[in-house]
Amino acid sequence: MSPDDLARAGLRLDLDGAVATVTLDRPEKRNAQTPTMWRALAALGADLPRTVRVVVVRGAGSSFSAGLDRSLLRPGDAPEGVEAVGDLFALDDAAMAATIADYQAGFTWLRDPRFVSVAAVHGHAIGAGFQLALACDLRVVADDVGFAMKESALGLVPDLAGTKPLVEAVGYARALELCATARTVHGPEAVAIGLALRSVPADGLDDAVQELVSALLGPLPDVAAETKALLQDATARDLGEQCRLEREAQVRRFRALAAGGPG
């Protein structure tokens, strides 16, 4: 997508060598998310250069993302020509599910094994904002972060691919408690329960993220990608299958090293 297309969707993409930084850029709306943004995120992920090894997702202004733009929730409230979540009410079940699948694609691309994704989270990370952070492999947060899964307060469930990574991060019981109660989790607790790697003062977030990104770029290219592919869903595999995948990955690594290639 062009920079202008991304800007119209409330996004910004900055490429710096092997690092891509995706910024939610609606600070006046606390980076509230829209269907247009979700579709743009999916397109951005599909077009990302193969040379990218780390993707950083962050929010402009005082918040990571305050969640869904509530002005687009009720049927008929959106301006003409603007896609709204409220449009779902007019669809049959199959069309509604297909549209939600399109929205989910704006989140699931961050699980791609070819790069490691890092969420730099500060301020509000609510609902869709929480789920966007969960879509990333790693989360570094400011002490002022407030994670909250507010969908239950709207009579809805989290549906932007956030339930699986939430259970993986904190376990079933804690995930259920967070989703059912919609309570807020701040930085220190986020680290304690496994939601985040580190919690730092807000003015130290950029430095902490840069430190992590530099460490992730340290190994040879493709090593982090192979490792991510091995670890994803490892708990769903039996030991024999996991060992087979380890062997196959290691054969590829030995062949790459023997060939003297960058991978």
Side-chain angles (χ1 to χ4, degrees):
M1 296 187 72
S2 72
D4 287 344
D5 289 336
L6 289 173
R8 281 190 287 271
L11 297 169
R12 188 172 72 247
L13 173 65
D14 297 293
L15 294 171
D16 182 10
V19 181
T21 300
V22 180
T23 303
L24 278 62
D25 198 16
R26 302 183 76 205
E28 74 285 356
K29 296 283 190 178
R30 295 188 303 177
N31 300 318
Q33 298 178 33
T34 68
T36 299
M37 181 184 287
W38 299 332
R39 292 186 185 277
L41 282 168
L44 183 158
D47 293 341
L48 207 63
R50 302 295 297 184
T51 52
V52 170
R53 296 173 58 192
V54 177
V55 175
V56 177
V57 181
R58 62 191 325 134
S62 62
S63 291
F64 181 72
S65 173
L68 173 67
D69 187 332
R70 298 281 290 274
S71 70
L72 303 180
L73 181 58
R74 294 197 312 176
D77 279 0
E80 185 176 355
V82 175
E83 184 177 5
V85 173
D87 297 341
L88 293 172
F89 287 96
L91 303 178
D92 62 32
D93 289 1
M96 185 184 296
T99 301
I100 294 171
D102 290 342
Y103 297 164
Q104 290 170 332
F107 296 70
T108 54
W109 68 274
L110 289 159
R111 304 273 289 187
D112 192 320
R114 64 192 173 96
F115 51 74
V116 178
S117 52
V118 179
V121 193
H122 69 294
H124 298 88
I126 297 171
F130 193 175
Q131 293 184 79
L132 183 59
L134 285 167
C136 295
D137 300 306
L138 307 172
R139 287 163 291 282
V140 179
V141 305
D143 292 344
D144 69 351
V145 73
F147 288 111
M149 203 69 83
K150 292 290 190 182
E151 282 78 1
S152 63
L154 300 174
L156 302 171
V157 299
D159 68 338
L160 296 171
T163 55
K164 178 178 171 63
L166 181 61
V167 172
E168 290 172 343
V170 304
Y172 162 75
R174 182 66 71 192
L176 176 59
E177 182 252 340
L178 292 177
C179 292
T181 67
R183 76 173 179 87
T184 300
V185 175
H186 297 290
E189 184 185 4
V191 175
I193 65 177
L195 273 178
L197 292 177
R198 293 181 61 188
S199 175
V200 298
D203 61 3
L205 182 60
D206 288 348
D207 288 343
V209 170
Q210 184 55 53
E211 180 182 337
L212 176 59
V213 169
S214 296
L216 290 170
L217 293 175
L220 290 173
D222 294 338
V223 172
E226 286 276 20
T227 304
K228 177 175 173 176
L230 269 179
L231 295 177
Q232 280 186 326
D233 298 319
T235 57
R237 305 183 192 112
D238 62 35
L239 181 59
E241 175 71 0
Q242 188 69 13
C243 287
R244 179 186 66 79
L245 293 172
E246 289 177 2
R247 294 193 297 271
E248 292 174 356
Q250 198 71 307
V251 168
R252 289 191 292 271
R253 298 310 313 143
F254 275 117
R255 296 306 184 205
L257 291 172

